[in-house]
Amino acid sequence: METRYVDVNGIRTRYLEAGSGEPMLLVHGGNFGRYCSANDWDRNIDSLAGSYHVFAIDKIACGFTDNPKSDGEYVIGTTVRHARDFLDVMGIDSAHVVGHSRGGYTACRLALEHPDAVRTLVIVDSATLMVSSNPIYLQWDSEAALVEDVRERFRHIIAVNSFAGEHITEDYLDVMMEIEELPKSLEAVAKMEAGLTKQFNDDLAARQKETHEW
């Protein structure tokens, strides 16, 4: 598995690549500025690479990928455009697309908006695709906020979001810690907390209704 970077319409984009065969795009969950990244697929990439040419991207404003260029782009549709543009830049006409959690919405909309680009679609545990909010997430965030040590806070929030915890390795947490401290991560979080969260949520509610009808 190789870590690489590519310019996607001015957005420096980090991705993990492995294997050969038909292309497969993996889209992780999480929101702008959060610690989620392509490394969320660490336990899957090697086995999938036995059959596919796997590309796992850091979504825009996540992981080590650049933030959007304007505040108006802090909406979920930006992740769809970024994923499509990534495929174009890589010269991939169509791919098997797998999306997890919030990335499941991105993968679904990619298939709806650009059906020729998606050979098959797999959606894994995407509440974002189904509902506008769920009280359990607020509860988990409140519980995590009580954990003073940042590393242990990450361990807790990933554990409660998971069926089991074997994937929460120290290396995995190391990457999260590194992402959390990046200037661009701090910038994205600050923008969301300063008012862009409302913009994001209002747009998401409209896009969810639109997606369900579609």
Side-chain angles (χ1 to χ4, degrees), residues 62-136:
C62 292
F64 297 90
T65 292
D66 285 351
N67 294 342
K69 296 184 178 298
S70 69
D71 288 358
E73 293 178 285
Y74 280 77
V75 291
I76 200 163
T78 302
T79 69
V80 182
R81 290 192 297 274
H82 178 249
R84 171 65 194 204
D85 290 345
F86 174 83
L87 293 177
D88 287 344
V89 168
M90 299 302 294
I92 300 171
D93 293 331
S94 64
H96 301 280
V97 180
V98 184
H100 170 243
S101 193
R102 187 145 283 180
Y105 174 96
T106 301
C108 179
R109 285 294 299 220
L110 182 64
L112 288 171
E113 296 177 24
H114 307 282
D116 292 343
V118 179
R119 302 188 187 196
T120 60
L121 174 66
V122 178
I123 299 169
V124 186
D125 294 341
S126 182
T128 305
L129 186 60
M130 297 307 298
V131 296
S132 58
S133 64
N134 188 322
I136 192 64

Side-chain angles (χ1 to χ4, degrees), residues 92-186:
I92 300 171
D93 293 331
S94 64
H96 301 280
V97 180
V98 184
H100 170 243
S101 193
R102 187 145 283 180
Y105 174 96
T106 301
C108 179
R109 285 294 299 220
L110 182 64
L112 288 171
E113 296 177 24
H114 307 282
D116 292 343
V118 179
R119 302 188 187 196
T120 60
L121 174 66
V122 178
I123 299 169
V124 186
D125 294 341
S126 182
T128 305
L129 186 60
M130 297 307 298
V131 296
S132 58
S133 64
N134 188 322
I136 192 64
Y137 295 116
L138 296 176
Q139 176 185 324
W140 288 342
D141 284 345
S142 297
E143 292 172 355
L146 299 177
V147 182
E148 294 186 5
D149 183 84
V150 176
R151 189 183 189 87
E152 294 309 309
R153 188 184 310 150
F154 286 164
R155 192 191 306 274
H156 173 81
I157 199 65
I158 296 301
V160 296
N161 272 277
S162 303
F163 177 76
E166 291 84 355
H167 64 297
I168 312 174
T169 65
E170 297 309 310
D171 288 344
Y172 185 36
L173 292 172
D174 286 343
V175 174
M176 289 182 175
M177 293 290 290
E178 183 178 359
I179 293 169
E180 180 78 359
E181 297 171 359
L182 293 174
K184 69 104 192 174
S185 298
L186 298 174

